[in-house]
Amino acid sequence: MQLIRHFAVAGAAGSLLLALPAACSPAAPEAPAAPGPQASQAEDHSWMDEAQTPGDWRYVAETTETAAIFGTGQEDGVQLIIACDILASRVSISRIGASEGETSMIIRTETQTGALLAEPAVSFAPLLLAHVDARDPLLDAIAFSKGRFAVEVGGTEPIYVPAYPEITRVIEDCRS
């Protein structure tokens, strides 16, 4: 999968172009991740009471890929990238962070919790990258979550990000 090659992140001194090379994606096909557990009414929703991670979403589009990028706008402020490889109809969720090998990425919404397999990838910064089929119901749970959703990846602090329209737009780009 080829990710967005360049996107602008507004910093204190202007904008900084960051490159995401094609190396962000493994060359070998992946086995699909097992469906994550469904949230139940009895499940602890204390994560919903956590403070939102500082930042905002930005939508970036190129011919064969689009991305929603969450960050503070500072040079090192990118926290999460949700990207669509339009040709493969596959969404990738990338969390800034490093790991020695594969790790789990837990996505929590108010209606569903999903566990994805994340792999380390290097681009402008170390990333933990998970792939999701564009029709996966977890993406709908993220897009239609009231307020926010959480992303937890081993070796990083959990983040609590708003479910803004940029995410839905990327998902819809992959389903068209």
PDB file of all heavy atoms in Angstrom, residues 2 15 22 24 35-36 42 58 64 72-73 79 82 88 92 105 110 130 137 143 145 149 154 156 158 167 173:
ATOM      1  N   GLN A   2       0.526   2.146  -0.784  1.00  0.00           N
ATOM      2  CA  GLN A   2       1.263   3.394  -0.846  1.00  0.00           C
ATOM      3  C   GLN A   2       0.508   4.432  -0.029  1.00  0.00           C
ATOM      4  O   GLN A   2      -0.630   4.729  -0.303  1.00  0.00           O
ATOM      5  CB  GLN A   2       1.380   3.822  -2.295  1.00  0.00           C
ATOM      6  CG  GLN A   2       2.202   5.053  -2.479  1.00  0.00           C
ATOM      7  CD  GLN A   2       2.223   5.430  -3.926  1.00  0.00           C
ATOM      8  OE1 GLN A   2       1.178   5.603  -4.531  1.00  0.00           O
ATOM      9  NE2 GLN A   2       3.406   5.547  -4.480  1.00  0.00           N
ATOM     10  N   SER A  15       4.631  25.527   7.955  1.00  0.00           N
ATOM     11  CA  SER A  15       4.257  24.136   7.734  1.00  0.00           C
ATOM     12  C   SER A  15       5.485  23.307   7.447  1.00  0.00           C
ATOM     13  O   SER A  15       6.493  23.790   6.980  1.00  0.00           O
ATOM     14  CB  SER A  15       3.244  24.029   6.599  1.00  0.00           C
ATOM     15  OG  SER A  15       3.820  24.477   5.409  1.00  0.00           O
ATOM     16  N   ALA A  22       6.380   4.326   0.719  1.00  0.00           N
ATOM     17  CA  ALA A  22       5.642   3.091   0.473  1.00  0.00           C
ATOM     18  C   ALA A  22       6.090   1.989   1.407  1.00  0.00           C
ATOM     19  O   ALA A  22       5.389   1.009   1.602  1.00  0.00           O
ATOM     20  CB  ALA A  22       5.817   2.645  -0.977  1.00  0.00           C
ATOM     21  N   CYS A  24       5.926   1.822   4.397  1.00  0.00           N
ATOM     22  CA  CYS A  24       5.076   1.743   5.576  1.00  0.00           C
ATOM     23  C   CYS A  24       4.226   0.492   5.593  1.00  0.00           C
ATOM     24  O   CYS A  24       3.686   0.135   6.605  1.00  0.00           O
ATOM     25  CB  CYS A  24       4.158   2.951   5.667  1.00  0.00           C
ATOM     26  SG  CYS A  24       5.001   4.420   6.191  1.00  0.00           S
ATOM     27  N   PRO A  35     -11.980 -11.012  14.329  1.00  0.00           N
ATOM     28  CA  PRO A  35     -12.908  -9.978  14.776  1.00  0.00           C
ATOM     29  C   PRO A  35     -12.707  -9.698  16.258  1.00  0.00           C
ATOM     30  O   PRO A  35     -12.487 -10.609  17.048  1.00  0.00           O
ATOM     31  CB  PRO A  35     -14.290 -10.576  14.520  1.00  0.00           C
ATOM     32  CG  PRO A  35     -14.074 -11.755  13.641  1.00  0.00           C
ATOM     33  CD  PRO A  35     -12.643 -12.162  13.786  1.00  0.00           C
ATOM     34  N   GLY A  36     -12.776  -8.434  16.603  1.00  0.00           N
ATOM     35  CA  GLY A  36     -12.592  -8.045  18.000  1.00  0.00           C
ATOM     36  C   GLY A  36     -13.841  -8.326  18.804  1.00  0.00           C
ATOM     37  O   GLY A  36     -14.918  -8.557  18.261  1.00  0.00           O
ATOM     38  N   ALA A  42     -22.401  -4.069  30.123  1.00  0.00           N
ATOM     39  CA  ALA A  42     -21.707  -4.196  31.398  1.00  0.00           C
ATOM     40  C   ALA A  42     -20.239  -3.791  31.314  1.00  0.00           C
ATOM     41  O   ALA A  42     -19.580  -3.645  32.328  1.00  0.00           O
ATOM     42  CB  ALA A  42     -21.814  -5.643  31.887  1.00  0.00           C
ATOM     43  N   ARG A  58      -7.155  16.611  10.228  1.00  0.00           N
ATOM     44  CA  ARG A  58      -6.928  17.261   8.939  1.00  0.00           C
ATOM     45  C   ARG A  58      -7.123  16.186   7.861  1.00  0.00           C
ATOM     46  O   ARG A  58      -6.659  15.062   8.012  1.00  0.00           O
ATOM     47  CB  ARG A  58      -5.509  17.804   8.889  1.00  0.00           C
ATOM     48  CG  ARG A  58      -5.055  18.114   7.485  1.00  0.00           C
ATOM     49  CD  ARG A  58      -3.684  18.651   7.483  1.00  0.00           C
ATOM     50  NE  ARG A  58      -3.897  20.102   7.510  1.00  0.00           N
ATOM     51  CZ  ARG A  58      -2.965  20.973   7.713  1.00  0.00           C
ATOM     52  NH1 ARG A  58      -1.759  20.582   7.955  1.00  0.00           N
ATOM     53  NH2 ARG A  58      -3.230  22.246   7.678  1.00  0.00           N
ATOM     54  N   THR A  64      -4.747   8.292  -5.444  1.00  0.00           N
ATOM     55  CA  THR A  64      -5.109   6.927  -5.058  1.00  0.00           C
ATOM     56  C   THR A  64      -5.167   6.717  -3.555  1.00  0.00           C
ATOM     57  O   THR A  64      -5.303   5.581  -3.098  1.00  0.00           O
ATOM     58  CB  THR A  64      -4.117   5.902  -5.652  1.00  0.00           C
ATOM     59  OG1 THR A  64      -2.807   6.193  -5.142  1.00  0.00           O
ATOM     60  CG2 THR A  64      -4.128   5.955  -7.162  1.00  0.00           C
ATOM     61  N   THR A  72      -1.453  17.927  16.762  1.00  0.00           N
ATOM     62  CA  THR A  72      -1.525  19.274  17.325  1.00  0.00           C
ATOM     63  C   THR A  72      -1.097  20.352  16.345  1.00  0.00           C
ATOM     64  O   THR A  72      -1.254  21.521  16.625  1.00  0.00           O
ATOM     65  CB  THR A  72      -0.627  19.398  18.565  1.00  0.00           C
ATOM     66  OG1 THR A  72       0.727  19.141  18.176  1.00  0.00           O
ATOM     67  CG2 THR A  72      -1.072  18.444  19.660  1.00  0.00           C
ATOM     68  N   GLY A  73      -0.515  19.968  15.223  1.00  0.00           N
ATOM     69  CA  GLY A  73      -0.015  20.950  14.277  1.00  0.00           C
ATOM     70  C   GLY A  73       1.443  21.289  14.524  1.00  0.00           C
ATOM     71  O   GLY A  73       2.063  21.966  13.724  1.00  0.00           O
ATOM     72  N   GLN A  79      -0.338  12.244  15.990  1.00  0.00           N
ATOM     73  CA  GLN A  79      -0.592  11.133  16.899  1.00  0.00           C
ATOM     74  C   GLN A  79      -1.203   9.909  16.207  1.00  0.00           C
ATOM     75  O   GLN A  79      -0.928   8.783  16.586  1.00  0.00           O
ATOM     76  CB  GLN A  79      -1.551  11.579  18.013  1.00  0.00           C
ATOM     77  CG  GLN A  79      -0.974  12.626  18.920  1.00  0.00           C
ATOM     78  CD  GLN A  79       0.102  12.060  19.805  1.00  0.00           C
ATOM     79  OE1 GLN A  79      -0.049  10.983  20.364  1.00  0.00           O
ATOM     80  NE2 GLN A  79       1.210  12.761  19.900  1.00  0.00           N
ATOM     81  N   ILE A  82      -5.405   7.853   9.863  1.00  0.00           N
ATOM     82  CA  ILE A  82      -6.332   6.879   9.288  1.00  0.00           C
ATOM     83  C   ILE A  82      -6.308   7.144   7.789  1.00  0.00           C
ATOM     84  O   ILE A  82      -6.697   8.222   7.345  1.00  0.00           O
ATOM     85  CB  ILE A  82      -7.745   7.012   9.877  1.00  0.00           C
ATOM     86  CG1 ILE A  82      -7.694   6.763  11.392  1.00  0.00           C
ATOM     87  CG2 ILE A  82      -8.706   6.044   9.183  1.00  0.00           C
ATOM     88  CD1 ILE A  82      -9.016   6.939  12.103  1.00  0.00           C
ATOM     89  N   ALA A  88      -6.872  -0.618  -3.251  1.00  0.00           N
ATOM     90  CA  ALA A  88      -6.983  -1.879  -2.506  1.00  0.00           C
ATOM     91  C   ALA A  88      -8.223  -1.928  -1.621  1.00  0.00           C
ATOM     92  O   ALA A  88      -8.500  -2.960  -1.011  1.00  0.00           O
ATOM     93  CB  ALA A  88      -5.738  -2.088  -1.645  1.00  0.00           C
ATOM     94  N   SER A  92      -5.848   1.889   6.648  1.00  0.00           N
ATOM     95  CA  SER A  92      -4.791   1.646   7.624  1.00  0.00           C
ATOM     96  C   SER A  92      -4.960   2.628   8.764  1.00  0.00           C
ATOM     97  O   SER A  92      -5.372   3.778   8.565  1.00  0.00           O
ATOM     98  CB  SER A  92      -3.404   1.777   6.994  1.00  0.00           C
ATOM     99  OG  SER A  92      -3.177   3.097   6.564  1.00  0.00           O
ATOM    100  N   MET A 105      -3.456  -3.502  18.679  1.00  0.00           N
ATOM    101  CA  MET A 105      -4.024  -2.156  18.659  1.00  0.00           C
ATOM    102  C   MET A 105      -5.490  -2.329  19.034  1.00  0.00           C
ATOM    103  O   MET A 105      -6.236  -3.005  18.329  1.00  0.00           O
ATOM    104  CB  MET A 105      -3.899  -1.521  17.268  1.00  0.00           C
ATOM    105  CG  MET A 105      -4.505  -0.136  17.167  1.00  0.00           C
ATOM    106  SD  MET A 105      -4.427   0.576  15.491  1.00  0.00           S
ATOM    107  CE  MET A 105      -2.687   0.978  15.369  1.00  0.00           C
ATOM    108  N   GLU A 110     -18.032   3.646  21.644  1.00  0.00           N
ATOM    109  CA  GLU A 110     -19.101   3.447  22.619  1.00  0.00           C
ATOM    110  C   GLU A 110     -19.892   2.168  22.352  1.00  0.00           C
ATOM    111  O   GLU A 110     -20.524   1.628  23.251  1.00  0.00           O
ATOM    112  CB  GLU A 110     -20.022   4.649  22.669  1.00  0.00           C
ATOM    113  CG  GLU A 110     -20.808   4.856  21.411  1.00  0.00           C
ATOM    114  CD  GLU A 110     -21.698   6.082  21.479  1.00  0.00           C
ATOM    115  OE1 GLU A 110     -22.132   6.454  22.577  1.00  0.00           O
ATOM    116  OE2 GLU A 110     -21.956   6.643  20.417  1.00  0.00           O
ATOM    117  N   ALA A 130      -1.835  -0.830  11.465  1.00  0.00           N
ATOM    118  CA  ALA A 130      -2.799  -1.928  11.346  1.00  0.00           C
ATOM    119  C   ALA A 130      -3.652  -1.691  10.107  1.00  0.00           C
ATOM    120  O   ALA A 130      -3.934  -0.548   9.746  1.00  0.00           O
ATOM    121  CB  ALA A 130      -3.682  -1.994  12.585  1.00  0.00           C
ATOM    122  N   PRO A 137     -17.075  -3.488  10.161  1.00  0.00           N
ATOM    123  CA  PRO A 137     -18.006  -2.744  11.012  1.00  0.00           C
ATOM    124  C   PRO A 137     -17.303  -1.888  12.079  1.00  0.00           C
ATOM    125  O   PRO A 137     -17.888  -0.922  12.572  1.00  0.00           O
ATOM    126  CB  PRO A 137     -18.858  -3.826  11.678  1.00  0.00           C
ATOM    127  CG  PRO A 137     -18.653  -5.055  10.875  1.00  0.00           C
ATOM    128  CD  PRO A 137     -17.341  -4.923  10.172  1.00  0.00           C
ATOM    129  N   ALA A 143     -16.626   5.850  13.044  1.00  0.00           N
ATOM    130  CA  ALA A 143     -17.215   7.005  12.356  1.00  0.00           C
ATOM    131  C   ALA A 143     -18.458   7.540  13.061  1.00  0.00           C
ATOM    132  O   ALA A 143     -18.681   8.749  13.085  1.00  0.00           O
ATOM    133  CB  ALA A 143     -17.546   6.635  10.915  1.00  0.00           C
ATOM    134  N   SER A 145     -19.273   7.054  16.292  1.00  0.00           N
ATOM    135  CA  SER A 145     -19.120   7.158  17.736  1.00  0.00           C
ATOM    136  C   SER A 145     -19.519   8.556  18.192  1.00  0.00           C
ATOM    137  O   SER A 145     -19.185   9.547  17.554  1.00  0.00           O
ATOM    138  CB  SER A 145     -17.658   6.876  18.116  1.00  0.00           C
ATOM    139  OG  SER A 145     -17.521   6.837  19.506  1.00  0.00           O
ATOM    140  N   PHE A 149     -13.383   8.250  20.378  1.00  0.00           N
ATOM    141  CA  PHE A 149     -13.005   6.852  20.465  1.00  0.00           C
ATOM    142  C   PHE A 149     -11.586   6.795  21.011  1.00  0.00           C
ATOM    143  O   PHE A 149     -10.880   7.801  21.050  1.00  0.00           O
ATOM    144  CB  PHE A 149     -13.145   6.119  19.124  1.00  0.00           C
ATOM    145  CG  PHE A 149     -12.263   6.633  18.015  1.00  0.00           C
ATOM    146  CD1 PHE A 149     -11.064   6.007  17.711  1.00  0.00           C
ATOM    147  CD2 PHE A 149     -12.645   7.740  17.264  1.00  0.00           C
ATOM    148  CE1 PHE A 149     -10.261   6.472  16.682  1.00  0.00           C
ATOM    149  CE2 PHE A 149     -11.846   8.203  16.231  1.00  0.00           C
ATOM    150  CZ  PHE A 149     -10.651   7.581  15.940  1.00  0.00           C
ATOM    151  N   GLY A 154       0.226  -1.214  22.531  1.00  0.00           N
ATOM    152  CA  GLY A 154       1.295  -1.541  23.457  1.00  0.00           C
ATOM    153  C   GLY A 154       2.509  -0.647  23.264  1.00  0.00           C
ATOM    154  O   GLY A 154       2.922  -0.377  22.150  1.00  0.00           O
ATOM    155  N   THR A 156       2.684   2.546  24.010  1.00  0.00           N
ATOM    156  CA  THR A 156       2.317   3.963  23.859  1.00  0.00           C
ATOM    157  C   THR A 156       1.211   4.292  24.860  1.00  0.00           C
ATOM    158  O   THR A 156       0.514   3.403  25.354  1.00  0.00           O
ATOM    159  CB  THR A 156       1.808   4.287  22.441  1.00  0.00           C
ATOM    160  OG1 THR A 156       0.559   3.620  22.230  1.00  0.00           O
ATOM    161  CG2 THR A 156       2.798   3.868  21.368  1.00  0.00           C
ATOM    162  N   PRO A 158      -2.451   5.554  25.754  1.00  0.00           N
ATOM    163  CA  PRO A 158      -3.721   5.575  25.021  1.00  0.00           C
ATOM    164  C   PRO A 158      -4.043   7.001  24.575  1.00  0.00           C
ATOM    165  O   PRO A 158      -3.650   7.963  25.241  1.00  0.00           O
ATOM    166  CB  PRO A 158      -4.751   5.103  26.048  1.00  0.00           C
ATOM    167  CG  PRO A 158      -3.966   4.492  27.156  1.00  0.00           C
ATOM    168  CD  PRO A 158      -2.606   5.119  27.128  1.00  0.00           C
ATOM    169  N   ILE A 167     -12.667  11.495   9.334  1.00  0.00           N
ATOM    170  CA  ILE A 167     -12.561  10.032   9.415  1.00  0.00           C
ATOM    171  C   ILE A 167     -13.596   9.381   8.503  1.00  0.00           C
ATOM    172  O   ILE A 167     -13.279   8.477   7.721  1.00  0.00           O
ATOM    173  CB  ILE A 167     -12.756   9.546  10.860  1.00  0.00           C
ATOM    174  CG1 ILE A 167     -11.700  10.156  11.776  1.00  0.00           C
ATOM    175  CG2 ILE A 167     -12.739   8.022  10.938  1.00  0.00           C
ATOM    176  CD1 ILE A 167     -12.043  10.032  13.249  1.00  0.00           C
ATOM    177  N   ASP A 173     -14.249   7.194   1.115  1.00  0.00           N
ATOM    178  CA  ASP A 173     -13.343   7.154  -0.046  1.00  0.00           C
ATOM    179  C   ASP A 173     -12.977   5.712  -0.384  1.00  0.00           C
ATOM    180  O   ASP A 173     -12.862   5.352  -1.551  1.00  0.00           O
ATOM    181  CB  ASP A 173     -12.056   7.941   0.231  1.00  0.00           C
ATOM    182  CG  ASP A 173     -12.288   9.436   0.329  1.00  0.00           C
ATOM    183  OD1 ASP A 173     -13.333   9.922  -0.132  1.00  0.00           O
ATOM    184  OD2 ASP A 173     -11.388  10.120   0.893  1.00  0.00           O
TER     185      ASP A 173
END
